Amino acid sequence: MRTILATTALLALGHTAAAETVSLRVLGQPVGSGLIQQQKEQPFFETLAETAGLDATVEYLPVDVAGIPDNDGMRVIRTGLFDIVSFRGPQVSRDEPTMLGLDLVGLNPDFKSGKTHTKAFLPVVDASVQDRFNAKVLGVWPAGPQVVFCKPEISGLADLEGLKVRVGDQSAAAFVGQFGATGIPLPFGEVQQSLARGVVDCAITGPSSANSAGWPEVTTTVLPIALQLAVNGYAINLDSWNKLDGTQQEQLQGAIDTLVDDVWAYSEELYVDAMNCNTGQQPCEHGTSYSLNSVPVTDADLKAVADALVGSSLPAWVKQCNAVNETCEADWMASVGAKLGL
C-alpha cells in the first residue's frame, strides 16, 4: 500500500513539474533585416531557457520565414498565435499609432536622445498596447539611424521632389511629402526588388539593414541624415504573461532587459561600420563593401529634419493617435514634450 502511495505521489510530482515548463513561441525580426536579428535576437531566444534560468521550451521563427507581413505584428500578438512578438515599430504603428510617439521624424537625431525619449513615453505605449492588443511591451531598441538611399543621384533632401520614396511609417511619409516626394509603405523584404524595378526611386532604412539586404547593389547614393531610429521591440501576449508566476516573470523581464541594453550598444556600433561598408571605406568588419556615393549633409537639411518634429510629424501624428487614444497628445506632451521644453 505504501509503495502504491509513494508511486502515486511521484507521478503527481512529475506531472506538476512537467506542467510548470514554460512553452513560448516567438515571432522574430526578418532574417533579411540584418545583423541585429542574426547575431543578437535569434541566438538570445534560442538560448533563453539557459540564460534566463527558465524551465522553458522556446520556438523562434523569423517573420519572413513564417510568411507573415512585418506590419501584422500587433494583430499576431493579440491572437495569441505567438506568445512573444519582436515587433517592428514603424510598421505596426499603422495598427497602434501610439507606438510612433517613441520615434517621430526629428525627435531622435542620435542614440542618446533616443534612449531618453523612448524611456519617457514607453509607459504610455505599454498601456495602450495592453488595452488594445492584450499584450505587454517588454522593451524597445533601435534598428539604427534611418537614412535615405536613392537610385538616382541626389545632392540633398530638395532633390526628392517628384520621387517615390519607400517609408516605414506615416511620420516619414509626411516628412518626404514636404519636399514634393510621395511616401510609399512597403514591407522591408520587397524594397530591394522595388528599387531595382523602379517601383520606388529611394528608400529609407538603417545602413546595416540596407547592407544586409543588398540595397547598395541597386542604388547610387546615400544621404546620411538621421530621420528616425526605427524603434522596434518585444511584446508578450498578456494571457501568456499571466500564466508565468512572479519569479518566471522576473526572469524573463530581466533577460529581455539585458538583450535590449545589448542591442542599443550593438546598433550604434553597426551604424558606423555599415556606413563604411556601403561607401567602400575601412574598417568594414560586419558587412559587404560597396561603393555608394555619400552625400554631404547640409545645414539646411539638418534644420529641415529638426523643424519637422513640430512642423509636420508631430501634428500629423497626434491627429491620428488621438483618434484611437484620446489622451495620446496630452500624454506625449507631459512626458516627451516636457523634456523638449515644448
Side-chain angles (χ1 to χ4, degrees):
M1 183 65 176
R2 289 179 179 176
T3 302
I4 294 173
L5 289 173
T7 302
T8 302
L10 286 172
L11 288 172
L13 182 61
H15 178 75
T16 301
E20 291 175 353
T21 299
V22 178
S23 178
L24 296 173
R25 298 192 73 215
V26 182
L27 186 67
Q29 293 286 310
V31 173
S33 64
L35 293 173
I36 291 176
Q37 184 278 333
Q38 297 163 18
Q39 299 297 320
K40 297 297 179 181
E41 180 179 282
Q42 184 161 346
F44 168 83
F45 281 109
E46 288 179 343
T47 60
L48 175 62
E50 179 182 350
T51 57
L54 276 171
D55 180 10
T57 59
V58 180
E59 178 188 357
Y60 176 88
L61 192 62
V63 66
D64 48 351
V65 175
I68 297 173
D70 60 8
N71 58 0
D72 282 353
M74 302 316 296
R75 302 176 205 177
V76 169
I77 198 67
R78 181 167 54 192
T79 66
L81 179 63
F82 287 82
D83 302 286
I84 296 174
V85 167
S86 179
F87 61 80
R88 295 171 65 74
Q91 284 75 17
V92 302
S93 67
R94 293 177 179 83
D95 285 335
E96 180 43 75
T98 311
M99 193 80 69
L100 196 54
L102 297 166
D103 193 37
L104 296 164
V105 169
L107 177 61
N108 299 319
D110 51 51
F111 286 91
K112 182 179 179 180
S113 58
K115 280 189 175 182
T116 298
H117 298 144
T118 54
K119 182 179 180 180
F121 197 58
L122 190 56
V124 178
V125 174
D126 181 42
S128 185
V129 168
Q130 290 200 33
D131 179 57
R132 302 184 66 238
F133 292 94
N134 190 44
K136 172 182 173 60
V137 179
L138 296 170
V140 296
W141 49 268
Q146 302 293 283
V147 300
V148 185
F149 295 83
C150 285
K151 190 172 184 178
E153 293 185 4
I154 64 168
S155 60
L157 292 172
D159 291 343
L160 296 178
E161 184 176 1
L163 300 183
K164 295 168 292 193
V165 182
R166 181 266 181 176
V167 296
D169 58 48
Q170 305 92 316
S171 178
F175 177 73
V176 300
Q178 294 180 216
F179 301 93
T182 302
I184 298 177
L186 283 175
F188 184 84
E190 298 178 12
V191 177
Q192 207 262 11
Q193 285 193 347
S194 295
L195 284 164
R197 296 173 178 174
V199 176
V200 292
D201 304 295
C202 304
I204 299 170
T205 197
S208 180
S209 294
N211 189 280
S212 294
W215 289 18
E217 297 173 4
V218 293
T219 53
T220 65
T221 307
V222 56
L223 177 61
I225 187 168
L227 304 182
Q228 296 165 284
L229 287 181
V231 174
N232 301 325
Y234 301 107
I236 184 169
N237 180 278
L238 276 178
D239 295 337
S240 302
W241 175 256
N242 290 330
K243 288 178 183 177
L244 305 178
D245 63 31
T247 298
Q248 291 169 328
Q249 289 178 351
E250 289 179 5
Q251 290 171 317
L252 177 59
Q253 184 65 70
I256 293 289
D257 289 345
T258 299
L259 171 64
V260 164
D261 288 344
D262 190 19
V263 174
W264 272 94
Y266 189 58
S267 180
E268 192 163 2
E269 174 189 335
L270 285 180
Y271 176 77
V272 175
D273 187 74
M275 279 300 301
N276 286 340
C277 293
N278 290 337
T279 56
Q281 307 299 311
Q282 293 296 327
C284 169
E285 298 178 351
H286 300 296
T288 302
S289 183
Y290 292 103
S291 56
L292 289 181
N293 177 35
S294 180
V295 178
V297 178
T298 65
D299 289 342
D301 282 350
L302 287 172
K303 185 176 186 302
V305 174
D307 291 347
L309 177 61
V310 175
S312 63
S313 58
L314 181 59
W317 171 67
V318 297
K319 182 178 180 180
Q320 180 192 23
C321 192
N322 286 345
V324 299
N325 180 353
E326 62 183 12
T327 66
C328 187
E329 180 179 6
D331 291 338
W332 192 92
M333 292 300 295
S335 53
V336 181
K339 291 188 176 297
L340 295 170
L342 296 179

